[in-house]
Structures are given as C-alpha cells and as structure tokens.
Amino acid sequence: MASPTEAPGFDGTRHPSIARINDCWLEGANHGQDDREYAGRIELCAPHIPYLVRASRALTGRMTKYLFDQGVRQFVDLGSGIPTQRHLHEVAQALDPRCHVVYVDLDPAVVSDSREILAGNDQVAYLQADIRDRDLVLGEPAMRALIDFSEPVGLLAIETLLYLPDSADPGALVAAYADALPAGSFVGLSHCGEDSQLREGLDMFSRMFGQPPAVTLREREELEAFFTGLELVDPGVVPVLLWHPQTQDEVGRNPELAHMYAGLGRKR
Ligand SMILES: C[S@@+](CC[C@H](N)C(=O)[O-])C[C@H]1O[C@@H](n2cnc3c(N)ncnc32)[C@H](O)[C@@H]1O
C-alpha cells in the first residue's frame, strides 16, 4: 500500500518518505540516497524546514519530560516516524526504563524499519495503522498489551495532523482519542501554521519538481480549537520554541518566526 506521505518523484524500490527525509535532518542513520536527494530539493525551496524538524523533535522530548514529571508512565504517539534521534521512548525510558510506549504510523516501510530498531525492547510497540481509525488503533492487541486505559496516558501527535485534510475533521479525531482516555491523561499536539515562507517554498517546489507532499497548514487558533474540552496547560498554544523551553539557546532570538505551534491539554 502506498503511503499518502510518500514523497512522489523518484523511481527507486523504496520511495522517499517524510519520516526518512526527517531522519536526514535529524542526522539519523535511517535514510537512503533518494531521501537525501528529496530532502535537498525541499531545502532548496524552504531552507528553514530542517530547523523546524529539529525544533519539533526537541518539543517531543520536552513534552515527554513534562508528562513524566506529571506522573505519566505510558505514552501513545500518533504519526511517529522513525523512533530514533531522541524520540519519545528514548526520552521516557531514560527517565524510567519501565515506561511503556506505543508508536503508530501508516507508512509500511517506516514501520518495518522501526520494528527492527525496537527489537528486544518489550515495553515499546510499533503499530502500522491509519490514525483516522481510532477504534482500530486503540483496539490493537499490542496497544492493549502495553497501555492500561484505566491509568493516565500521554498521547502525542507531533507534526502529524497537517497530513489530514479538513475533510478528515482532525478536530473531531482529537476529541475522539481524548474521549477514550481516562481523566488525568494528556493530549499533546504540534502543527505547522500558515507561513508565507513555507507557502512560497511549496509553490516553488511544485514549479521545479512537481507535486510536493500534500499538507494542510493551520493557524494557531485552529490548533487551539483542537483542544476543546481539554484543560490547556500553560502557556497554552504557542510557537513551538516557547512551549516550556529548557535553555535560552533552544528559544533563539526570534521564536515567533517559527510558524509551528504546540500545546498540551489535560483531560479532567
Ligand atoms: C512529519 S512526520 C512526523 C513524525 C514524528 N511525529 C516527528 O515528530 O518526527 C509525520 C508522520 O505521520 C505519518 N502519518 C501521516 N498521516 C498518517 C495517518 N493518517 N496515519 C498514521 N500515520 C500518518 C507519516 O507517515 C509520517 O511518518
């Protein structure tokens, strides 16, 4: 099955995919020549994308640590990409090796590579599923084996919802996931906003190389609406670099220039 997040345009046996392209920018080891070439094309058109990818991976780490400090020991990550380079389970299990993590992604090649990477780690599972089917995702035996839905869960979707068009109603999907979680659970989201630089980059990509991967950019207020019914943790939905920054270096001089927003909601 072809993934909608496969990047079109090459004829290799393995198509470049968003997750492996991100791996290039995160300086991981799970990508190939096609992915590097495709990453180079994106960088040519939108040179700030690698910076945003690194900023969102740092956010995953900060949210994981925050949730751990709130007592959360089990995590579900929707649209995970490759589980290396300071991804969720690495951060959580460095804090407590008993943390349980379930990753979910649609892309079959990414899932098979990820399962190899995670082999031997019995507290972590990697599901191949479309996150739009909440009941299927939450009902998977591997999910049920690792996640106890009577205890608080930290559920993250970091730079994933932008792959869902408005017709998929991502707000309703977030609400449906939140509905299935017990009180005291958290939902963490990040999302690329309308950014003239990014928009121009996507247009330039179409002119130079053909169709770019389809994404829906959403403004801060739209992301905020996805938290309806949840209690937004301070400081609310903010530019990603301003969500619980840990060092001044991570914030940089113009954090508001990163048109990527993040927030964390708590279920009462
Ligand atoms: C930009 S990557 C983000 C990966 C990771 N969350 C991170 O922060 O590095 C988006 C991921 O979402 C996955 N994805 C997109 N739509 C999906 C869907 N409907 N169901 C499951 N995974 C999906 C893609 O395959 C890709 O690996």
Side-chain angles (χ1 to χ4, degrees):
M1 178 184 64
S3 160
T5 56
E6 273 176 1
F10 291 105
D11 289 333
T13 46
R14 286 172 61 119
H15 295 281
S17 78
I18 296 304
R20 290 201 301 273
I21 290 166
N22 280 1
D23 187 64
C24 299
W25 294 322
L26 293 167
E27 296 172 3
N30 294 282
H31 56 266
Q33 183 58 25
D34 274 7
D35 305 303
R36 277 194 294 278
E37 281 181 35
Y38 204 94
R41 291 178 171 196
I42 294 177
E43 275 182 71
L44 192 64
C45 300
H48 64 310
I49 295 283
Y51 171 71
L52 293 183
V53 168
R54 290 194 285 270
S56 82
R57 181 52 53 88
L59 171 79
T60 297
R62 298 200 302 280
M63 276 196 179
T64 304
K65 171 75 168 63
Y66 181 93
L67 293 173
F68 184 87
D69 290 344
Q70 301 301 307
V72 175
R73 296 292 182 272
Q74 40 176 13
F75 302 85
V76 174
D77 185 55
L78 302 178
S80 307
I82 295 164
T84 61
Q85 303 306 99
R86 301 167 304 285
H87 212 321
L88 200 161
H89 82 283
E90 297 174 307
V91 175
Q93 292 192 328
L95 294 164
D96 183 342
R98 292 167 298 181
C99 285
H100 287 188
V101 179
V102 177
Y103 291 111
V104 186
D105 206 288
L106 186 63
D107 188 325
V110 167
V111 174
S112 66
D113 284 357
S114 299
R115 285 181 178 158
E116 269 179 42
I117 291 164
L118 294 168
N121 191 336
D122 296 339
Q123 324 274 37
V124 184
Y126 205 115
L127 306 183
Q128 184 187 341
D130 188 328
I131 61 161
R132 285 171 288 191
D133 192 339
R134 180 206 70 165
D135 291 348
L136 181 89
V137 168
L138 297 185
E140 282 272 354
M143 177 74 78
R144 293 280 152 188
L146 284 179
I147 305 295
D148 173 355
F149 284 92
S150 67
E151 292 291 326
V153 177
L155 181 136
L156 301 189
I158 303 299
E159 294 312 305
T160 301
L161 299 178
L162 76 160
Y163 294 96
L164 301 190
D166 288 341
S167 59
D169 201 349
L173 187 66
V174 171
Y177 275 100
D179 200 41
L181 302 178
S185 295
F186 292 86
V187 175
L189 306 173
S190 83
H191 204 299
C192 272
E194 266 301 340
D195 165 1
S196 55
Q197 246 185 315
L198 185 53
R199 185 60 69 197
E200 282 162 23
L202 288 168
D203 290 347
M204 191 193 293
F205 192 100
S206 316
R207 290 197 298 276
M208 291 176 73
F209 306 118
Q211 184 68 26
V215 290
T216 302
L217 306 178
R218 295 189 175 92
E219 283 298 13
R220 198 190 69 79
E221 294 73 18
E222 291 177 88
L223 182 59
E224 201 168 58
F226 292 172
F227 290 96
T228 301
L230 297 168
E231 189 179 79
L232 260 178
V233 168
D234 282 343
V237 175
V238 291
V240 71
L241 297 161
L242 294 179
W243 199 90
H244 292 259
Q246 283 172 358
T247 64
Q248 195 54 31
D249 285 347
E250 272 182 43
V251 174
R253 293 194 180 167
N254 299 98
E256 68 286 355
L257 294 183
H259 293 277
M260 181 190 264
Y261 302 100
L264 183 72
R266 185 173 185 280
K267 183 166 176 181
R268 287 188 211 94

Short mmCIF file of all heavy atoms in Angstrom, two decimals, residues 3-6 17-20 22-23 26 53 56-58 60 77-82 84 87 103-108 110 126-133 137 156-164 173 177 190 215, ligand 1:
data_model
loop_
_atom_site.label_atom_id
_atom_site.label_comp_id
_atom_site.label_asym_id
_atom_site.label_seq_id
_atom_site.Cartn_x
_atom_site.Cartn_y
_atom_site.Cartn_z
N SER A 3 1.88 4.94 0.81
CA SER A 3 1.51 5.87 1.86
C SER A 3 1.24 7.24 1.28
O SER A 3 1.95 7.69 0.39
CB SER A 3 2.66 5.95 2.86
OG SER A 3 2.53 7.12 3.61
N PRO A 4 0.21 7.94 1.76
CA PRO A 4 -0.02 9.30 1.27
C PRO A 4 1.12 10.23 1.63
O PRO A 4 1.22 11.32 1.09
CB PRO A 4 -1.31 9.72 1.97
CG PRO A 4 -1.44 8.81 3.14
CD PRO A 4 -0.75 7.54 2.78
N THR A 5 1.98 9.81 2.55
CA THR A 5 3.08 10.68 2.93
C THR A 5 4.37 10.29 2.22
O THR A 5 5.43 10.81 2.52
CB THR A 5 3.30 10.68 4.45
OG1 THR A 5 3.49 9.33 4.84
CG2 THR A 5 2.11 11.26 5.15
N GLU A 6 4.28 9.33 1.28
CA GLU A 6 5.44 9.09 0.44
C GLU A 6 5.65 10.32 -0.41
O GLU A 6 4.70 10.91 -0.92
CB GLU A 6 5.21 7.90 -0.49
CG GLU A 6 5.57 6.59 0.14
CD GLU A 6 5.25 5.43 -0.77
OE1 GLU A 6 4.77 5.66 -1.89
OE2 GLU A 6 5.47 4.30 -0.35
N SER A 17 10.28 8.92 1.89
CA SER A 17 9.10 9.16 2.73
C SER A 17 9.43 10.28 3.70
O SER A 17 10.60 10.52 4.02
CB SER A 17 8.72 7.90 3.51
OG SER A 17 9.58 7.75 4.61
N ILE A 18 8.37 10.93 4.15
CA ILE A 18 8.55 12.07 5.04
C ILE A 18 9.38 11.67 6.26
O ILE A 18 10.27 12.41 6.69
CB ILE A 18 7.17 12.60 5.49
CG1 ILE A 18 6.41 13.15 4.28
CG2 ILE A 18 7.30 13.66 6.57
CD1 ILE A 18 7.14 14.22 3.51
N ALA A 19 9.09 10.50 6.82
CA ALA A 19 9.80 10.11 8.05
C ALA A 19 11.30 9.95 7.78
O ALA A 19 12.13 10.37 8.59
CB ALA A 19 9.21 8.80 8.58
N ARG A 20 11.65 9.35 6.65
CA ARG A 20 13.09 9.17 6.37
C ARG A 20 13.75 10.48 5.97
O ARG A 20 14.92 10.71 6.23
CB ARG A 20 13.30 8.08 5.31
CG ARG A 20 12.96 6.69 5.83
CD ARG A 20 13.61 5.61 5.01
NE ARG A 20 13.22 5.65 3.62
CZ ARG A 20 12.15 5.04 3.12
NH1 ARG A 20 11.38 4.33 3.92
NH2 ARG A 20 11.86 5.12 1.85
N ASN A 22 12.87 13.36 7.23
CA ASN A 22 13.11 13.99 8.54
C ASN A 22 14.36 13.42 9.19
O ASN A 22 15.12 14.14 9.84
CB ASN A 22 11.92 13.77 9.48
CG ASN A 22 10.78 14.73 9.20
OD1 ASN A 22 10.85 15.55 8.29
ND2 ASN A 22 9.71 14.61 9.97
N ASP A 23 14.56 12.11 9.02
CA ASP A 23 15.73 11.46 9.60
C ASP A 23 17.04 12.07 9.07
O ASP A 23 18.03 12.15 9.79
CB ASP A 23 15.67 9.95 9.30
CG ASP A 23 16.75 9.17 10.01
OD1 ASP A 23 16.73 9.14 11.26
OD2 ASP A 23 17.62 8.61 9.31
N LEU A 26 17.56 15.12 11.05
CA LEU A 26 17.84 14.85 12.46
C LEU A 26 19.18 14.13 12.62
O LEU A 26 19.54 13.69 13.71
CB LEU A 26 16.71 13.99 13.06
CG LEU A 26 15.35 14.70 13.16
CD1 LEU A 26 14.23 13.70 13.44
CD2 LEU A 26 15.38 15.77 14.24
N VAL A 53 12.04 20.86 11.81
CA VAL A 53 12.01 19.42 12.16
C VAL A 53 12.79 19.19 13.45
O VAL A 53 12.35 18.46 14.35
CB VAL A 53 12.57 18.58 10.99
CG1 VAL A 53 12.83 17.14 11.41
CG2 VAL A 53 11.61 18.63 9.81
N SER A 56 10.78 20.48 16.34
CA SER A 56 9.64 19.65 16.78
C SER A 56 10.12 18.39 17.49
O SER A 56 9.47 17.92 18.42
CB SER A 56 8.67 19.36 15.63
OG SER A 56 9.10 18.31 14.86
N ARG A 57 11.29 17.87 17.11
CA ARG A 57 11.82 16.72 17.86
C ARG A 57 12.20 17.13 19.29
O ARG A 57 11.98 16.38 20.25
CB ARG A 57 13.03 16.11 17.13
CG ARG A 57 13.64 14.89 17.82
CD ARG A 57 12.62 13.81 18.13
NE ARG A 57 11.83 13.38 16.99
CZ ARG A 57 12.19 12.41 16.15
NH1 ARG A 57 13.31 11.76 16.35
NH2 ARG A 57 11.41 12.10 15.13
N ALA A 58 12.76 18.33 19.43
CA ALA A 58 13.08 18.82 20.78
C ALA A 58 11.80 18.99 21.60
O ALA A 58 11.76 18.69 22.79
CB ALA A 58 13.84 20.14 20.68
N THR A 60 9.07 17.18 21.32
CA THR A 60 8.66 15.84 21.76
C THR A 60 9.37 15.49 23.07
O THR A 60 8.76 14.99 24.02
CB THR A 60 9.00 14.78 20.69
OG1 THR A 60 8.25 15.08 19.51
CG2 THR A 60 8.67 13.37 21.15
N ASP A 77 2.00 7.55 20.61
CA ASP A 77 2.47 8.58 19.69
C ASP A 77 1.88 8.33 18.31
O ASP A 77 2.12 7.28 17.71
CB ASP A 77 4.01 8.53 19.63
CG ASP A 77 4.57 9.65 18.79
OD1 ASP A 77 4.26 10.82 19.08
OD2 ASP A 77 5.32 9.36 17.84
N LEU A 78 1.09 9.28 17.81
CA LEU A 78 0.39 9.10 16.53
C LEU A 78 1.17 9.76 15.39
O LEU A 78 1.46 10.96 15.45
CB LEU A 78 -1.01 9.72 16.62
CG LEU A 78 -1.93 9.20 17.73
CD1 LEU A 78 -3.26 9.96 17.70
CD2 LEU A 78 -2.17 7.70 17.58
N GLY A 79 1.48 9.00 14.35
CA GLY A 79 2.27 9.54 13.23
C GLY A 79 3.70 9.73 13.67
O GLY A 79 4.20 10.84 13.75
N SER A 80 4.37 8.62 13.96
CA SER A 80 5.60 8.67 14.75
C SER A 80 6.87 8.90 13.96
O SER A 80 7.84 9.43 14.48
CB SER A 80 5.76 7.35 15.52
OG SER A 80 4.59 7.09 16.25
N GLY A 81 6.91 8.42 12.72
CA GLY A 81 8.19 8.45 12.02
C GLY A 81 9.14 7.42 12.63
O GLY A 81 8.71 6.46 13.27
N ILE A 82 10.43 7.66 12.46
CA ILE A 82 11.44 6.67 12.91
C ILE A 82 11.81 6.92 14.37
O ILE A 82 12.11 8.05 14.75
CB ILE A 82 12.67 6.76 11.98
CG1 ILE A 82 12.23 6.33 10.57
CG2 ILE A 82 13.80 5.89 12.48
CD1 ILE A 82 13.17 6.70 9.49
N THR A 84 14.10 7.07 16.55
CA THR A 84 15.49 7.29 16.97
C THR A 84 15.68 8.79 17.13
O THR A 84 14.74 9.56 16.96
CB THR A 84 16.49 6.78 15.91
OG1 THR A 84 16.26 7.51 14.70
CG2 THR A 84 16.35 5.29 15.66
N HIS A 87 13.80 10.36 20.20
CA HIS A 87 12.33 10.23 20.07
C HIS A 87 11.76 9.83 21.44
O HIS A 87 12.48 9.61 22.41
CB HIS A 87 12.00 9.22 18.97
CG HIS A 87 10.70 9.55 18.25
ND1 HIS A 87 9.60 10.03 18.91
CD2 HIS A 87 10.34 9.46 16.94
CE1 HIS A 87 8.60 10.23 18.04
NE2 HIS A 87 9.04 9.90 16.83
N TYR A 103 4.01 3.41 19.39
CA TYR A 103 4.10 4.27 18.22
C TYR A 103 3.11 3.79 17.17
O TYR A 103 2.87 2.57 17.05
CB TYR A 103 5.50 4.20 17.61
CG TYR A 103 6.61 4.81 18.44
CD1 TYR A 103 7.59 4.01 19.03
CD2 TYR A 103 6.71 6.19 18.59
CE1 TYR A 103 8.63 4.58 19.76
CE2 TYR A 103 7.75 6.75 19.31
CZ TYR A 103 8.71 5.95 19.89
OH TYR A 103 9.74 6.52 20.61
N VAL A 104 2.59 4.72 16.36
CA VAL A 104 1.65 4.37 15.30
C VAL A 104 2.02 5.14 14.03
O VAL A 104 2.19 6.37 14.09
CB VAL A 104 0.19 4.75 15.67
CG1 VAL A 104 -0.79 4.24 14.61
CG2 VAL A 104 -0.19 4.22 17.05
N ASP A 105 2.15 4.45 12.93
CA ASP A 105 2.39 5.14 11.66
C ASP A 105 1.78 4.31 10.53
O ASP A 105 1.64 3.10 10.63
CB ASP A 105 3.89 5.35 11.42
CG ASP A 105 4.16 6.56 10.53
OD1 ASP A 105 3.87 6.47 9.31
OD2 ASP A 105 4.65 7.58 11.03
N LEU A 106 1.48 5.04 9.46
CA LEU A 106 0.82 4.44 8.31
C LEU A 106 1.81 3.84 7.31
O LEU A 106 1.48 2.94 6.56
CB LEU A 106 0.06 5.59 7.62
CG LEU A 106 -0.85 5.35 6.47
CD1 LEU A 106 -2.00 4.48 6.90
CD2 LEU A 106 -1.37 6.69 5.96
N ASP A 107 3.01 4.39 7.30
CA ASP A 107 3.97 4.11 6.24
C ASP A 107 4.63 2.73 6.47
O ASP A 107 5.39 2.55 7.42
CB ASP A 107 5.02 5.23 6.26
CG ASP A 107 5.96 5.16 5.09
OD1 ASP A 107 6.28 4.04 4.65
OD2 ASP A 107 6.38 6.23 4.62
N PRO A 108 4.32 1.75 5.59
CA PRO A 108 4.79 0.39 5.86
C PRO A 108 6.30 0.26 5.93
O PRO A 108 6.83 -0.51 6.76
CB PRO A 108 4.24 -0.43 4.68
CG PRO A 108 3.68 0.54 3.70
CD PRO A 108 3.55 1.87 4.36
N VAL A 110 8.46 2.53 6.88
CA VAL A 110 8.90 3.14 8.14
C VAL A 110 8.60 2.19 9.30
O VAL A 110 9.41 2.00 10.20
CB VAL A 110 8.19 4.50 8.34
CG1 VAL A 110 8.37 5.03 9.75
CG2 VAL A 110 8.72 5.50 7.32
N TYR A 126 5.32 -0.92 17.87
CA TYR A 126 5.15 -0.02 16.73
C TYR A 126 4.02 -0.58 15.86
O TYR A 126 4.16 -1.65 15.27
CB TYR A 126 6.46 0.09 15.94
CG TYR A 126 6.55 1.41 15.17
CD1 TYR A 126 7.50 2.35 15.49
CD2 TYR A 126 5.65 1.70 14.15
CE1 TYR A 126 7.56 3.57 14.82
CE2 TYR A 126 5.70 2.91 13.47
CZ TYR A 126 6.66 3.84 13.81
OH TYR A 126 6.72 5.03 13.14
N LEU A 127 2.89 0.12 15.80
CA LEU A 127 1.73 -0.35 15.04
C LEU A 127 1.70 0.27 13.66
O LEU A 127 1.98 1.46 13.52
CB LEU A 127 0.42 0.05 15.74
CG LEU A 127 0.24 -0.33 17.21
CD1 LEU A 127 -1.14 0.11 17.68
CD2 LEU A 127 0.43 -1.82 17.38
N GLN A 128 1.33 -0.53 12.68
CA GLN A 128 1.05 0.05 11.37
C GLN A 128 -0.46 0.25 11.26
O GLN A 128 -1.22 -0.72 11.20
CB GLN A 128 1.53 -0.86 10.24
CG GLN A 128 1.31 -0.15 8.90
CD GLN A 128 1.59 -1.03 7.71
OE1 GLN A 128 2.26 -2.04 7.82
NE2 GLN A 128 1.07 -0.63 6.57
N ALA A 129 -0.89 1.49 11.27
CA ALA A 129 -2.33 1.78 11.21
C ALA A 129 -2.54 3.22 10.78
O ALA A 129 -1.65 4.06 10.91
CB ALA A 129 -2.96 1.56 12.60
N ASP A 130 -3.72 3.45 10.26
CA ASP A 130 -4.13 4.81 9.89
C ASP A 130 -4.76 5.43 11.14
O ASP A 130 -5.77 4.91 11.65
CB ASP A 130 -5.14 4.74 8.74
CG ASP A 130 -5.46 6.11 8.18
OD1 ASP A 130 -5.43 7.10 8.95
OD2 ASP A 130 -5.75 6.19 6.98
N ILE A 131 -4.19 6.51 11.60
CA ILE A 131 -4.69 7.09 12.87
C ILE A 131 -6.13 7.58 12.75
O ILE A 131 -6.78 7.83 13.76
CB ILE A 131 -3.80 8.25 13.38
CG1 ILE A 131 -3.75 9.40 12.36
CG2 ILE A 131 -2.42 7.75 13.74
CD1 ILE A 131 -3.30 10.71 12.97
N ARG A 132 -6.63 7.71 11.51
CA ARG A 132 -8.02 8.16 11.35
C ARG A 132 -9.01 7.13 11.88
O ARG A 132 -10.15 7.45 12.15
CB ARG A 132 -8.31 8.46 9.88
CG ARG A 132 -7.69 9.77 9.44
CD ARG A 132 -7.77 9.96 7.96
NE ARG A 132 -6.87 9.07 7.25
CZ ARG A 132 -6.59 9.17 5.95
NH1 ARG A 132 -7.15 10.10 5.23
NH2 ARG A 132 -5.74 8.33 5.39
N ASP A 133 -8.54 5.87 12.01
CA ASP A 133 -9.42 4.82 12.55
C ASP A 133 -9.10 4.63 14.04
O ASP A 133 -8.33 3.74 14.42
CB ASP A 133 -9.22 3.52 11.75
CG ASP A 133 -10.30 2.51 12.07
OD1 ASP A 133 -10.94 2.61 13.14
OD2 ASP A 133 -10.49 1.60 11.24
N VAL A 137 -6.96 1.61 16.00
CA VAL A 137 -5.67 1.92 16.64
C VAL A 137 -5.71 1.54 18.12
O VAL A 137 -4.84 0.83 18.62
CB VAL A 137 -5.34 3.43 16.47
CG1 VAL A 137 -4.18 3.85 17.36
CG2 VAL A 137 -5.04 3.76 15.01
N LEU A 156 0.46 11.83 22.05
CA LEU A 156 1.05 12.92 21.26
C LEU A 156 0.78 12.73 19.77
O LEU A 156 0.73 11.59 19.28
CB LEU A 156 2.57 12.99 21.46
CG LEU A 156 3.12 13.20 22.87
CD1 LEU A 156 4.63 13.45 22.81
CD2 LEU A 156 2.45 14.36 23.59
N ALA A 157 0.61 13.84 19.07
CA ALA A 157 0.59 13.84 17.60
C ALA A 157 1.41 15.06 17.17
O ALA A 157 0.90 16.18 17.13
CB ALA A 157 -0.84 13.91 17.07
N ILE A 158 2.68 14.82 16.93
CA ILE A 158 3.62 15.91 16.66
C ILE A 158 3.84 16.00 15.15
O ILE A 158 4.38 15.07 14.54
CB ILE A 158 4.96 15.66 17.41
CG1 ILE A 158 4.70 15.50 18.92
CG2 ILE A 158 5.97 16.76 17.13
CD1 ILE A 158 4.09 16.71 19.61
N GLU A 159 3.41 17.09 14.56
CA GLU A 159 3.51 17.31 13.12
C GLU A 159 2.88 16.16 12.32
O GLU A 159 3.45 15.70 11.32
CB GLU A 159 4.98 17.55 12.70
CG GLU A 159 5.55 18.83 13.24
CD GLU A 159 4.63 20.04 13.03
OE1 GLU A 159 4.24 20.30 11.89
OE2 GLU A 159 4.31 20.71 14.03
N THR A 160 1.75 15.70 12.78
CA THR A 160 1.04 14.62 12.10
C THR A 160 -0.27 15.12 11.50
O THR A 160 -0.63 14.76 10.37
CB THR A 160 0.73 13.48 13.11
OG1 THR A 160 1.96 13.00 13.64
CG2 THR A 160 -0.01 12.34 12.45
N LEU A 161 -0.99 15.98 12.24
CA LEU A 161 -2.33 16.37 11.79
C LEU A 161 -2.28 17.18 10.50
O LEU A 161 -3.27 17.28 9.79
CB LEU A 161 -3.06 17.14 12.89
CG LEU A 161 -3.28 16.36 14.20
CD1 LEU A 161 -3.98 17.24 15.23
CD2 LEU A 161 -4.08 15.09 13.95
N LEU A 162 -1.11 17.73 10.17
CA LEU A 162 -1.04 18.50 8.92
C LEU A 162 -1.20 17.60 7.70
O LEU A 162 -1.46 18.08 6.60
CB LEU A 162 0.23 19.35 8.84
CG LEU A 162 1.57 18.74 8.52
CD1 LEU A 162 2.52 19.84 8.03
CD2 LEU A 162 2.16 18.10 9.76
N TYR A 163 -1.07 16.28 7.90
CA TYR A 163 -1.32 15.33 6.80
C TYR A 163 -2.79 14.96 6.66
O TYR A 163 -3.15 14.19 5.77
CB TYR A 163 -0.44 14.08 6.95
CG TYR A 163 1.02 14.45 6.80
CD1 TYR A 163 1.81 14.71 7.90
CD2 TYR A 163 1.56 14.63 5.53
CE1 TYR A 163 3.12 15.12 7.75
CE2 TYR A 163 2.87 15.04 5.38
CZ TYR A 163 3.64 15.28 6.48
OH TYR A 163 4.94 15.71 6.33
N LEU A 164 -3.61 15.46 7.57
CA LEU A 164 -5.05 15.20 7.47
C LEU A 164 -5.74 16.44 6.91
O LEU A 164 -5.64 17.53 7.49
CB LEU A 164 -5.65 14.88 8.84
CG LEU A 164 -5.08 13.68 9.59
CD1 LEU A 164 -5.96 13.36 10.81
CD2 LEU A 164 -4.98 12.45 8.72
N LEU A 173 -11.31 14.10 15.42
CA LEU A 173 -10.46 12.93 15.69
C LEU A 173 -9.73 13.09 17.03
O LEU A 173 -9.69 12.15 17.84
CB LEU A 173 -9.45 12.77 14.54
CG LEU A 173 -8.62 11.50 14.60
CD1 LEU A 173 -9.48 10.26 14.40
CD2 LEU A 173 -7.51 11.54 13.54
N TYR A 177 -10.09 10.63 20.32
CA TYR A 177 -9.00 10.00 21.08
C TYR A 177 -9.07 10.41 22.55
O TYR A 177 -8.95 9.59 23.45
CB TYR A 177 -7.63 10.36 20.49
CG TYR A 177 -7.21 9.47 19.33
CD1 TYR A 177 -7.36 9.87 18.02
CD2 TYR A 177 -6.67 8.21 19.57
CE1 TYR A 177 -6.98 9.05 16.96
CE2 TYR A 177 -6.29 7.37 18.53
CZ TYR A 177 -6.44 7.79 17.22
OH TYR A 177 -6.08 6.96 16.19
N SER A 190 1.41 19.30 17.91
CA SER A 190 2.09 20.43 17.26
C SER A 190 1.69 20.44 15.80
O SER A 190 1.33 19.40 15.24
CB SER A 190 3.61 20.35 17.42
OG SER A 190 4.18 19.52 16.45
N VAL A 215 0.05 18.81 2.33
CA VAL A 215 -0.12 19.16 3.74
C VAL A 215 -1.18 20.27 3.86
O VAL A 215 -1.40 21.01 2.92
CB VAL A 215 1.20 19.66 4.40
CG1 VAL A 215 2.19 18.53 4.56
CG2 VAL A 215 1.82 20.82 3.62
C1 LIG B 1 6.22 14.86 9.66
S1 LIG B 1 6.23 13.18 10.17
C2 LIG B 1 6.35 13.45 11.93
C3 LIG B 1 6.97 12.28 12.63
C4 LIG B 1 7.14 12.45 14.13
N1 LIG B 1 5.87 12.71 14.82
C5 LIG B 1 8.14 13.50 14.45
O1 LIG B 1 7.80 14.44 15.18
O2 LIG B 1 9.28 13.41 13.99
C6 LIG B 1 4.53 12.68 10.01
C7 LIG B 1 4.36 11.19 10.15
O3 LIG B 1 2.95 10.95 10.21
C8 LIG B 1 2.66 9.78 9.46
N2 LIG B 1 1.25 9.86 9.06
C9 LIG B 1 0.67 10.77 8.25
N3 LIG B 1 -0.64 10.51 8.11
C10 LIG B 1 -0.90 9.42 8.87
C11 LIG B 1 -2.08 8.67 9.15
N4 LIG B 1 -3.24 9.01 8.61
N5 LIG B 1 -1.98 7.61 9.97
C12 LIG B 1 -0.79 7.27 10.53
N6 LIG B 1 0.36 7.94 10.29
C13 LIG B 1 0.31 9.00 9.48
C14 LIG B 1 3.65 9.82 8.30
O4 LIG B 1 3.85 8.54 7.72
C15 LIG B 1 4.91 10.38 8.98
O5 LIG B 1 5.76 9.37 9.45
#
